């Protein structure tokens, strides 16, 4: 809520992409994959400006850290 609320106050349409999600899935070859939408891309998609860049940066850092932890454990 701390990150999403200010983003939605800036551009309500970003609510369609929140909360952030990470998808862990297995492809047809049995290889585990990890996918997520980059918060910087989401900010551009919804026309968010530099005023909320600190929030999208924090979200991107968090997702990268989670992805790193998930893939290291696999």
């Amino acid at each position: 809520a701390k990150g999403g609320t200010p983003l939605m106050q800036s551009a309500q349409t970003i609510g369609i992409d929140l909360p952030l999600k990470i998808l862990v899935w297995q492809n047809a070859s049995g290889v585990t994959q990890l996918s997520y939408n980059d918060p910087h891309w989401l900010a551009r998609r919804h026309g968010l400006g530099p005023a909320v860049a600190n929030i999208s940066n924090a979200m991107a850092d968090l997702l990268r850290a989670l992805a790193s932890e998930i893939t290291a454990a696999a």
Side-chain angles (χ1 to χ4, degrees), residues 10-22:
S10 295
Q12 292 177 347
T13 58
I14 199 167
I16 194 75
D17 291 310
L18 296 176
L20 296 175
K21 297 168 271 309
I22 293 178

Side-chain angles (χ1 to χ4, degrees), residues 14 38 41 45 53 63 66:
I14 199 167
D38 178 58
W41 176 80
R45 177 180 182 204
L63 285 174
L66 288 171

Side-chain angles (χ1 to χ4, degrees), residues 6-11 14 42-52:
L7 296 179
M8 287 187 285
Q9 288 172 333
S10 295
I14 199 167
L42 293 174
R44 286 190 306 274
R45 177 180 182 204
H46 295 282
L48 295 171
V52 294

Side-chain angles (χ1 to χ4, degrees), residues 24 31-34 66-74:
V24 180
V31 177
T32 301
Q33 303 284 316
L34 185 141
L66 288 171
S68 178
E69 288 291 322
I70 291 167
T71 56

